[in-house]
Amino acid sequence: MNRRDILKAGLASMIAATLLTTSSAFAETTMSTLEAVKKSGKLRIGGVTDAAPTFQKDLRSGEWKGMFIDIGTALAKDLGVELEIVTTTWGNSVLDLQADKIDLMFGLNPTPARAKVINFSSPVFNNAFTLVANKDSVFETWEDYNKPEVKIAVDAGSAHDATVTKMLPKATILRFDNVSEASIALQSGRADAQCFVLMLSLPAVKKNSRLGTVVAPSPVQYTTSHAGFQKRDETSLDDYVNDWLAKNSESGFVDETVKRNMSLVGVTAEDFPSNVKF
């Protein structure tokens, strides 16, 4: 082979290698989010170390527990991958999604600001709005509480505040800077009831039974908990998770998982209002 043939052969090899590299890179960039997770062999979710019953990490053993850990484990199993838990905080979780440190984050509520930078799943579960009422104010319906003489304590500007404002326009609403101050008003007798979501009211009463009785007035009002995803036009992973959530909600798996993990904060099945569903 002469020098010219050698140069031609070398050039052909370089072109072939370049085309192969380009083709591989293109394949990587066009891979769907669902395919990427399956190829990596792991589903990365964020975990908050001290957020029972949603997340809880044993700092000695490194073991994770919580309703979102159990839901994530089942989801990863059905995807055919392992679950990888990346430690984060509620405040940093959106940034971790944007930085591609995690594939999804459970426990996020959609807000207009968040919706600009991440995608959201359909609801993972429903969280009922409840009232913790003193012994003389345990009623069955919202209308029973909708009277000027009934005083309801809330943390100002919260979802609790918005719900009570909507459902109890005739009641006297006492607004405080935070949940703790509202609870002090209830316990001291300044308020007849305090509005909490169920995830907060049941553990609060377990810790301090003097607060009152947990009531889910009819018709039961709910807020929702969602999962967040990276902001992309391609939504194969989002779609898979939404389908999975629908099936596992219908089967009762999500409801059972949520209730079972409430034991992490001392709540038992008997503590749940009978008219609440997750």
Side-chain angles (χ1 to χ4, degrees):
M1 182 180 292
N2 59 37
R3 180 178 177 82
R4 180 175 294 178
D5 291 335
I6 293 174
L7 290 173
K8 287 182 178 179
L11 181 59
S13 296
M14 290 177 60
I15 292 173
T18 300
L19 289 173
L20 180 61
T21 301
T22 302
S23 177
S24 298
F26 180 75
E28 288 290 331
T29 57
T30 58
M31 184 180 299
S32 74
T33 50
L34 183 60
E35 291 170 338
V37 167
K38 290 185 175 181
K39 183 178 180 181
S40 71
K42 57 188 178 183
L43 176 67
R44 303 169 301 166
I45 71 169
V48 181
T49 57
D50 187 19
T54 55
F55 298 102
Q56 185 181 71
K57 185 179 182 181
D58 187 316
L59 298 181
R60 290 185 177 181
S61 67
E63 179 186 5
W64 285 89
K65 296 180 180 179
M67 61 184 67
F68 291 141
I69 299 300
D70 289 351
I71 290 172
T73 299
L75 172 61
K77 181 180 179 180
D78 287 350
L79 276 167
V81 299
E82 293 182 359
L83 182 69
E84 179 178 315
I85 304 162
V86 179
T87 300
T88 187
T89 64
W90 296 120
N92 289 336
S93 58
V94 171
L95 295 175
D96 287 344
L97 283 168
Q98 292 178 288
D100 194 29
K101 293 181 180 180
I102 53 179
D103 300 306
L104 66 89
M105 180 68 194
F106 288 110
L108 296 180
N109 290 325
T111 65
R114 285 175 174 172
K116 292 179 180 179
V117 294
I118 62 174
N119 293 336
F120 286 95
S121 73
S122 55
V124 178
F125 68 88
N126 296 316
N127 195 358
F129 286 102
T130 60
L131 295 177
V132 176
N134 65 37
K135 63 180 181 179
D136 297 321
S137 303
V138 177
F139 307 125
E140 293 186 359
T141 71
W142 287 101
E143 194 56 35
D144 291 329
Y145 290 94
N146 194 25
K147 302 170 184 176
E149 61 269 25
V150 178
K151 299 177 182 179
I152 310 294
V154 296
D155 43 323
S158 66
H160 304 138
D161 188 351
T163 298
V164 167
T165 300
K166 172 187 173 184
M167 300 302 296
L168 305 177
K170 297 178 182 178
T172 300
I173 302 174
L174 307 178
R175 294 179 172 88
F176 298 89
D177 288 340
N178 52 58
V179 170
S180 296
E181 289 185 8
S183 295
I184 291 172
L186 173 63
Q187 192 167 341
S188 66
R190 292 168 56 197
D192 300 302
Q194 179 182 358
C195 186
F196 289 94
V197 289
L198 189 67
M199 290 293 181
L200 295 178
S201 62
L202 289 178
V205 170
K206 274 295 184 179
K207 289 180 181 178
N208 182 4
S209 60
R210 292 176 297 173
L211 276 178
T213 300
V214 177
V215 182
S218 296
V220 181
Q221 302 297 301
Y222 293 95
T223 185
T224 52
S225 179
H226 300 249
F229 304 92
Q230 297 169 31
K231 190 75 169 179
R232 289 173 173 160
D233 293 331
E234 195 285 311
T235 60
S236 58
L237 178 61
D238 312 35
D239 297 339
Y240 181 94
V241 172
N242 285 335
D243 288 342
W244 188 92
L245 287 171
K247 293 175 184 176
N248 283 274
S249 292
E250 185 176 353
S251 71
F253 170 76
V254 172
D255 184 88
E256 185 277 329
T257 300
V258 171
K259 289 182 176 178
R260 173 166 42 81
N261 278 281
M262 289 294 285
S263 64
L264 295 175
V265 288
V267 175
T268 66
E270 292 74 23
D271 296 321
F272 289 91
S274 60
N275 59 338
V276 168
K277 295 183 178 180
F278 291 99

